[in-house]
Amino acid sequence: MKFTNVFAAVLVTIFGVNLYAQPVAPAPAKLKITKITGTVNIMKDGAVLMTLKPGDAIPELTDNSATFAVVDGTIEVEANGKMVSAATGSSFTVSITEGQANVAVGAGTPVAIKTESGHNIILTANSEVKMVRTNGTLAISVVTGNAVITNASGGASQTVTAGQTASVPAALVPVTAAPVAPVIKPVAKTGEVDAPVVVVEPPVSPVIPTETIQEAGTVSGSNP
């Protein structure tokens, strides 16, 4: 044991290696208000914790779950890389843990969610969605109500109802355009030898990956 302690001390002194260092735990998931206009109530367990009005400083949220009631204007909340946007009349709850985010909408106007891959999710009143990230896939499970999902370009619209799950990429997929070979088109001769004209054809628009929908096996309950 004494030799081990001496050897460890030497490693720390010469190489900066600490054999007894404990691994650093990842930072806990947090909610963040990124934008706000108008008047918004931040609520917890049915009680108003804070009312934000135009000109107020945006507070730092310490809990991993919060309810927002938009009296007027708009609000944008970041939850594990996903942007949740709501407008006047919206009442919604956002809950996050490591690798998962839940958004539940109460009575009121719909709420929009933009995922890391650029997909858009519209939640109507009395709907809840659970988003779980696993490797390169984001599973979007509808707990109650329904959700409308579109891809990053606004196309491929699909409606997912309670008990169904849609799978989309977990992050934006970079698209690398293939090199375009010049197309040489000859020019009619006019008595002299003319140089050929080089025309570069525009690249073909990349194809955005589509989503798949499957029936969910077991769906968790709503968060309070």
Side-chain angles (χ1 to χ4, degrees), residues 45-65:
D45 298 329
V48 178
L49 296 180
M50 182 184 303
T51 298
L52 300 178
K53 296 182 178 181
D56 290 347
I58 296 178
E60 180 179 356
L61 303 178
T62 56
D63 291 340
N64 62 354
S65 178

Side-chain angles (χ1 to χ4, degrees), residues 120-177:
N120 298 290
I121 307 169
I122 303 298
L123 283 182
T124 56
N126 303 314
S127 297
E128 180 178 357
V129 67
K130 176 177 69 176
M131 296 165 285
V132 180
R133 180 170 181 167
T134 305
N135 298 325
T137 301
L138 179 69
I140 304 171
S141 302
V142 177
V143 181
T144 58
N146 62 77
V148 178
I149 303 175
T150 59
N151 58 24
S153 64
S157 175
Q158 56 180 305
T159 300
V160 186
T161 59
Q164 292 183 325
T165 298
S167 297
V168 303
L172 186 63
V173 180
V175 178
T176 303

